[in-house]
Amino acid sequence: MTEARRIKFMSFSLIFGFFLMWEVLCIVLNVSDLVLPRPTEIIATLWVKFPILWPHILQTLYSTLIGFVLGVGIGVTLGVLVGTSRVAYAVAYPLLVGFSSIPKVAVVPIFVLWFGSGTTPAILTAMVICVFPIVVNIATGLATTEPDLEDVLKTLGASKSEILWNVGLPRTMPYFFASLKVAITLSFVGAVLSETVASNRGIGNVMMTASSNFQVSLVFAGLIILAVLGVVLYSFFSFLERRVTGWATRDTDIAIT
Amino acid sequence: MDMKNNIIAEPDAVRKPTTLPRRSAVDLQAASVVFGSGEKAVTALSPTTLRLDAGDFVALVGPSGCGKSTILRLVSNLIAPSSGVVLVGGREAKVKALRIGMAFQNPTMLPWLTIEQNVMMPLKIVPPFKHSFRQDRKGAFRDRVHALLAQVGLAGFANHFPWQLSGGMLQRSNLCRALIHEPDLLLLDEPFGALDQFTREELWQILQDLYLDRKPTVLLVTHDLREAGFLAKRICVMSARPGRIISDEAVNIPQPRDIGMIYSPEFVEMTQGLRELIAQVRK
């Protein structure tokens, strides 16, 4: 436990040191507020503007989570469809890769064209951007399930769906949760991206507006909010992953000894 | 071993009596298996004929890669014969006329489930148990699993995960999983392969007790001749690839057998004979 605590402490020191360095360098090199505000200024701005920022934070979280949930639903469905059949896996893979190689920024204008600016394109971007890693991970997890494990159920006369529920899906959970961590971060990026381009609400929009008004410290306050939210969302799914798929990492938390 | 509390003895209510009195449990009629086609075709099993009566205990021995496991995979319908017929309980293997319990060479415990949940898996899949699985979940089925685990010396390990157990313990769990749903036909694919001699002999005796208690039909694949001789009523020797059965002999020693018996002159003579036979066919 002391080892883990030391690592935590060092991690905190690194973060603190980073901001301290930033602060000191800004003062020593006499950097203008308009180029790079000092962390203390950013935090002051954050404190003062927080009541105004709060609805935008909720807006961004809302778009991210709705898009994420939709994306997970679609991703799991597609992943199961593709992963349960080796043929489907081989056939669909090129299309999936092609689809995923499109920079998702490029789809925002299309969504704006179809649905106008606002919340809808933000949700859709968050959704589209997170589907692919989920599909790939679910499909890979299912397609790489050890035949030995499936044989155990086959000899018992299990149906295809019983094998899927009792072997395929549990076996895929570590892949799924690993992909969720990536997906939630991507969704967040997608939502902010869309807000930046086409919305009058959300943190992305706040940063865009602040930037055009030269409220540089507000822009950086937005960045800090994004970083904190990103870490919170990631940690939540990371925690969930450890709880649910501890068997894959031999996590002693869930093991009953 | 306390046979009075033996959980393999099951109230009649759960059992379907129709499956028991059938004459032939397993019937391979010139069944062969060929993997691939054309020039790349590999014959895993030459046309083989083998018959097991209900309650029989047959050991299949032979050199590595001779198709012993292929026969088990045919009987359990994991693969279909390329030619010939495989009847299980008098019907095609895919019909699953008999309740099958299979223990693989590797324990293949599902790593996300505890030993208890792993052993319970057949009860969740196989009728008639599956129909009452949800209601019984916390009660009767769990007691059965615990009793069976205790019988193989795994009391207190029900809530462990597979990776927390040693190889021998996993093989015991493997055996429990093959037995928990009271199969009419038990297929064992070198279930004690990776174990030390003492653990192996201990498990032989446990298996013998379980067999004599319930009298399922057993098909045991092994390359341990003493294991075959100690456990089986009949020993079938297979030739090297492509395999076929070249010898089918009864073991004329009454059961239950004592483990000391494997050092008796008759027993040694029998295993020596088998050994020479296999040494010949390997060439």
Side-chain angles (χ1 to χ4, degrees):
Chain A
M1 258 353 251
T2 45
E3 177 70 18
R5 202 173 289 174
R6 211 172 66 218
I7 287 176
K8 249 178 207 162
F9 176 73
M10 283 178 2
S11 190
F12 264 108
S13 310
L14 184 68
I15 295 167
F16 185 75
F18 170 77
F19 284 106
L20 190 68
M21 192 75 141
W22 177 354
E23 183 84 28
V24 170
L25 281 179
C26 280
I27 295 168
V28 171
L29 300 175
N30 200 15
V31 180
S32 158
D33 287 359
L34 282 177
V35 179
L36 182 64
R38 285 177 284 119
T40 43
E41 284 177 314
I42 296 168
I43 288 163
T45 310
L46 201 56
W47 181 254
V48 175
K49 302 270 184 170
F50 196 76
I52 307 165
L53 288 170
W54 182 239
H56 294 285
I57 293 174
L58 289 181
Q59 170 67 24
T60 301
L61 271 179
Y62 171 79
S63 304
T64 303
L65 291 176
I66 300 281
F68 173 73
V69 168
L70 291 174
V72 169
I74 295 171
V76 169
T77 315
L78 279 178
V80 169
L81 286 177
V82 172
T84 40
S85 146
R86 259 149 236 261
V87 178
Y89 188 68
V91 169
Y93 212 80
L95 179 67
L96 285 173
V97 172
F99 181 70
S100 80
S101 345
I102 301 170
K104 300 303 175 298
V105 199
V107 301
V108 178
I110 299 174
F111 287 142
V112 174
L113 191 70
W114 288 346
F115 302 102
S117 60
T119 312
T120 316
I123 290 175
L124 290 178
T125 313
M127 178 190 89
V128 163
I129 207 166
C130 80
V131 165
F132 182 73
I134 295 171
V135 174
V136 168
N137 276 281
I138 294 261
T140 307
L142 287 175
T144 59
T145 300
E146 294 82 350
D148 291 4
L149 296 184
E150 294 179 335
D151 283 355
V152 171
L153 288 219
K154 275 187 198 160
T155 55
L156 296 169
S159 65
K160 277 221 154 74
S161 69
E162 279 172 328
I163 294 176
L164 181 68
W165 276 109
N166 290 299
V167 179
L169 288 180
R171 161 68 171 61
T172 304
M173 281 302 114
Y175 291 83
F176 176 58
F177 279 93
S179 76
L180 282 190
K181 286 195 298 190
V182 178
I184 187 67
T185 323
L186 285 177
S187 279
F188 190 52
V189 169
V192 173
L193 193 74
S194 179
E195 286 168 356
T196 312
V197 180
S199 179
N200 47 19
R201 279 188 297 174
I203 296 295
N205 173 256
V206 168
M207 288 172 64
M208 201 62 192
T209 317
S211 155
S212 50
N213 294 338
F214 291 100
Q215 294 171 290
V216 184
S217 63
L218 188 56
V219 177
F220 277 88
L223 272 187
I224 300 278
I225 291 171
L226 292 182
V228 169
L229 284 181
V231 169
V232 167
L233 291 173
Y234 181 91
S235 323
F236 174 73
F237 284 96
S238 184
F239 169 77
L240 211 61
E241 179 187 28
R242 277 207 309 280
R243 292 300 297 179
V244 179
T245 65
W247 60 268
T249 49
R250 304 192 172 179
D251 190 347
T252 42
D253 278 2
I254 62 147
I256 307 139
T257 42
Chain B
M1 190 131 317
D2 185 5
M3 301 305 286
K4 278 174 210 136
N5 294 331
N6 199 322
I7 61 118
I8 296 303
E10 162 74 7
D12 290 345
V14 188
R15 293 210 53 82
K16 287 220 176 80
T18 50
T19 53
L20 269 181
R22 276 214 182 81
R23 286 289 299 132
S24 96
V26 175
D27 204 350
L28 271 75
Q29 296 165 3
S32 76
V33 175
V34 181
F35 292 116
S37 58
E39 286 181 11
K40 283 185 193 161
V42 177
T43 306
L45 187 69
S46 300
T48 298
T49 297
L50 173 68
R51 191 188 143 103
L52 273 75
D53 292 331
D56 219 347
F57 195 135
V58 173
L60 271 176
V61 297
S64 294
C66 69
K68 303 184 296 269
S69 299
T70 307
I71 290 183
L72 286 193
R73 296 176 77 79
L74 275 175
V75 175
S76 59
N77 194 40
L78 287 174
I79 50 173
S82 308
S83 70
V85 181
V86 177
L87 297 180
V88 175
R91 306 185 64 183
E92 274 182 80
K94 67 173 179 227
V95 179
K96 303 254 180 210
L98 292 186
R99 204 184 288 161
I100 293 179
M102 185 155 175
F104 294 86
Q105 199 168 351
N106 301 319
T108 58
M109 292 284 129
L110 304 179
W112 52 89
L113 298 180
T114 60
I115 294 301
E116 175 187 284
Q117 291 164 326
N118 264 294
V119 173
M120 214 182 262
M121 184 58 80
L123 301 178
K124 200 172 168 185
I125 303 292
V126 177
F129 306 104
K130 67 187 285 189
H131 305 304
S132 53
F133 186 78
R134 282 189 189 282
Q135 299 93 300
D136 278 6
R137 187 166 205 152
K138 302 266 173 201
F141 284 175
R142 177 167 293 183
D143 292 344
R144 274 175 73 145
V145 170
H146 282 242
L148 187 56
L149 284 173
Q151 213 175 344
V152 300
L154 281 179
F157 288 95
N159 292 324
H160 282 57
F161 281 88
W163 52 266
Q164 295 174 306
L165 268 59
S166 70
M169 289 165 148
L170 288 175
Q171 294 286 17
R172 289 161 204 249
S173 327
N174 197 18
L175 201 56
C176 289
R177 185 175 58 188
L179 288 164
I180 189 70
H181 55 301
E182 304 189 348
D184 307 303
L185 177 58
L186 191 56
L187 305 173
L188 305 172
D189 191 356
E190 293 178 34
F192 314 125
L195 300 177
D196 66 89
Q197 190 62 28
F198 291 108
T199 313
R200 202 180 298 182
E201 287 176 8
E202 189 190 342
L203 285 177
W204 291 352
Q205 294 175 67
I206 291 172
L207 180 58
Q208 176 172 261
D209 291 344
L210 292 168
Y211 166 70
L212 291 175
D213 191 55
R214 259 273 297 136
K215 282 289 170 73
T217 313
V218 185
L219 187 52
L220 167 73
V221 161
T222 178
H223 30 224
D224 186 334
L225 297 174
R226 287 187 296 182
E227 179 171 305
F230 177 73
L231 285 166
K233 286 180 165 172
R234 256 167 74 200
I235 299 178
C236 295
V237 180
M238 292 188 71
S239 69
R241 187 196 294 258
R244 64 199 168 76
I245 291 170
I246 53 163
S247 153
D248 186 343
E249 302 271 343
V251 180
N252 292 316
I253 305 170
Q255 289 173 306
R257 296 167 189 161
D258 180 72
I259 195 70
M261 181 206 76
I262 65 173
Y263 301 103
S264 71
E266 306 96 298
F267 192 86
V268 173
E269 195 188 332
M270 180 183 73
T271 49
Q272 280 293 346
L274 289 169
R275 194 178 171 280
E276 277 161 29
L277 195 58
I278 293 172
Q280 278 169 20
V281 298
R282 281 185 68 198
K283 287 169 193 160

